[in-house]
Amino acid sequence: MTGTELSVDDAVDRAVALAAAPGRAVLGITGAPGAGKSTLARRIVAAVDVAHGTGTAVQVPMDGFHLTNAALDALGRRGRKGAVDTFDAGGYVALVRRLVAADEDVVWAPDFDRRVDEPVAGSIPVPRSTRLVVTEGNYLLDADEPWSALPTLFTETWACVVDDRVRVDRLVGRHMRHGRDHEAARSWALEVDGVNAARVATTVTRASRTVLT
């Protein structure tokens, strides 16, 4: 781990302070699958909106840039969904540039619907007035292009870190909620998510702050 270590409460307080600064802040939160990125992002947005007014913060997940299942089938990558090459990386980086520029009346970002396991285009409005954009995903600090452009765009980069046993248990529960039986859920968590987690683990030292989730 590197940079300043924060508890979740301290991270939320830091985000509230970022939203109070002049201009727009774009906060990038990374970490392995199951590390708590989305949960932290939701908590931050809720706290910032309470502190500064509804709509001050917006969450924009990297998962909105998953390739569709049809595209993954065509590429033969459906069984490795979530790997670094199963995202529209260039599209995500382009969106982050637009969010940082904050020169459009509104930017529409995609979301990801876990119920149908598909991205949904044009789902999340980010008005020019938004003060804090919280975006989270596995590969925000990856060294390969075009991901490698991201750290220079973000106001800050945070890495969520949690004990591996807790992280895997979270993933198993998530996969079971979305239709897999326990054996299949654990297999995916270890064999598919596990490969992705190993890649992410090599990148978290690049974060400016570490959040213990």
Side-chain angles (χ1 to χ4, degrees):
M1 293 184 290
T2 189
T4 304
E5 290 188 11
L6 302 173
S7 68
V8 170
D9 287 343
D10 288 341
V12 171
D13 289 344
R14 173 67 185 166
V16 170
L18 285 175
R24 172 179 286 176
V26 180
L27 172 62
I29 301 177
T30 194
K37 303 179 295 296
S38 298
T39 300
L40 176 61
R42 287 192 294 270
R43 182 167 171 182
I44 285 170
V45 168
V48 168
D49 280 1
V50 167
H52 300 299
T54 301
T56 303
V58 175
Q59 179 180 358
V60 176
M62 188 198 85
D63 278 358
F65 288 86
H66 269 288
L67 299 182
T68 65
N69 290 331
L72 293 174
D73 285 337
L75 293 168
R77 295 294 285 162
R78 179 79 171 268
R80 291 292 169 182
K81 187 171 185 173
V84 71
D85 63 339
T86 64
F87 292 87
D88 174 14
Y92 177 67
V93 173
L95 176 71
V96 171
R97 292 187 190 280
R98 293 173 67 195
L99 294 173
V100 170
D103 58 3
E104 301 172 60
D105 288 342
V106 62
V107 172
W108 285 92
D111 202 353
F112 187 78
D113 189 341
R114 292 192 182 277
R115 295 168 299 179
V116 295
D117 199 35
E118 291 275 19
V120 184
S123 297
I124 303 171
V126 186
R128 192 198 300 261
S129 59
T130 300
R131 301 292 299 278
L132 177 67
V133 177
V134 185
T135 184
E136 30 77 26
N138 294 347
Y139 304 115
L140 274 54
L141 296 175
D142 200 87
D144 286 357
E145 294 184 352
W147 305 102
S148 57
L150 290 169
T152 61
L153 299 174
F154 294 132
T155 308
E156 291 187 4
T157 54
W158 296 359
C160 291
V161 177
V162 68
D163 181 87
D164 254 2
R165 291 169 298 181
V166 173
R167 186 182 62 77
V168 170
D169 283 347
R170 289 174 180 171
L171 288 171
V172 171
R174 176 193 300 173
H175 295 319
M176 290 180 69
R177 287 193 297 275
H178 294 285
R180 291 187 172 95
D181 63 29
H182 185 269
E183 182 178 353
R186 187 164 182 81
S187 176
W188 190 280
L190 294 175
E191 296 174 15
V192 180
D193 293 329
V195 172
N196 304 333
R199 183 177 182 121
V200 173
T202 68
T203 74
V204 296
T205 57
R206 302 183 185 121
S208 52
R209 286 173 168 77
T210 299
V211 184
L212 305 178
T213 56

